[in-house]
Amino acid sequence: MLPMLRFSWTGQSVQWVFKENQMEYKVYQRNAFWEQATIVGHWAWVFYQLFLLPTWPLRVAYFIISQMGGGLLIAHVVTFNHNSVDKYPANSRILNNFAALQILTTRNMTPSPFIDWLWGGLNYQIEHHLFPTMPRCNLNACMKYVKEWCKENNLPYLVDDYFDGYAMNLQQLKNMAEHIQAKAA
């Protein structure tokens, strides 16, 4: 199902952009035109490139493979970053502490030049959640400050290599299944 997430997220992005005119926050209303224009421009460019391919079956196959391949990659990193950490109930006090919430509910993948390139900076998920508008190329430099802040405030800084993170991901899925099974019994 991971490759299918690209279609879901794309649909949600398009819906969001075209609802911005009616949102209560002025910043969304102010940016709506340009966001709408750029998303239309993006998809016009995508479909123009598809049009350049020689046959309809090739166009359709290329579109599906490229979108699902992109979906697999982005969902792969998102599941590593989010599914391997503890979950908190909707009434948890942690929801009142933005920094702690972001730090405790995400995990970074151990950085390296290859991982940074492959994940496009999203392996720095803690920093991405704390500073969502920060350019990805700056997330690595920001990491040392966040680690230091976590240490000063007795918060864990969750960073693991690929295999350890996915092992924790599978363990978390097992824990949730056992929790649901126990509640059902």
Side-chain angles (χ1 to χ4, degrees):
M1 292 308 298
L2 294 181
M4 299 301 290
L5 285 174
R6 171 77 176 143
F7 297 111
S8 173
W9 291 335
T10 298
Q12 291 173 34
S13 294
V14 170
Q15 281 180 327
W16 172 270
V17 164
F18 285 98
K19 288 181 181 176
E20 284 185 310
N21 291 335
Q22 294 87 36
M23 291 185 181
E24 67 178 288
Y25 297 108
K26 298 262 187 249
V27 67
Y28 294 132
Q29 294 172 13
R30 188 171 50 244
N31 295 334
F33 172 78
W34 289 110
E35 290 202 24
Q36 292 163 2
T38 56
I39 205 163
V40 166
H42 166 80
W43 285 105
W45 180 248
V46 167
F47 289 120
Y48 171 71
Q49 291 177 64
L50 290 172
F51 175 75
L52 296 176
L53 295 172
T55 65
W56 274 103
L58 188 60
R59 292 173 184 147
V60 171
Y62 180 82
F63 181 77
I64 290 172
I65 290 168
S66 65
Q67 294 302 303
M68 292 180 79
L72 177 65
L73 288 173
I74 192 71
H76 193 71
V77 72
V78 168
T79 57
F80 176 95
N81 298 130
H82 296 289
N83 291 1
S84 62
V85 294
D86 289 336
K87 309 297 179 237
Y88 297 91
N91 61 352
S92 175
R93 289 185 49 210
I94 193 172
L95 298 176
N96 296 325
N97 186 325
F98 176 81
L101 178 66
Q102 305 316 310
I103 290 164
L104 294 171
T105 59
T106 53
R107 175 182 310 283
N108 283 2
M109 189 178 293
T110 305
S112 73
F114 175 73
I115 292 296
D116 290 2
W117 169 81
L118 183 63
W119 298 131
L122 288 179
N123 50 305
Y124 302 103
Q125 197 68 196
I126 295 170
E127 291 76 15
H128 169 67
H129 276 242
L130 289 170
F131 310 103
T133 60
M134 181 180 286
R136 291 182 189 169
C137 61
N138 296 335
L139 294 174
N140 187 333
C142 179
M143 183 174 74
K144 70 179 181 181
Y145 298 111
V146 174
K147 276 184 172 180
E148 186 178 310
W149 189 86
C150 286
K151 188 175 181 179
E152 290 172 4
N153 290 280
N154 289 329
L155 287 169
Y157 185 86
L158 305 174
V159 59
D160 291 286
D161 71 26
Y162 180 87
F163 294 106
D164 289 341
Y166 270 102
M168 288 182 250
N169 192 344
L170 292 173
Q171 183 61 49
Q172 185 70 289
L173 291 172
K174 181 180 178 216
N175 294 346
M176 289 189 304
E178 289 171 352
H179 178 74
I180 296 294
Q181 190 177 22
K183 282 191 137 192

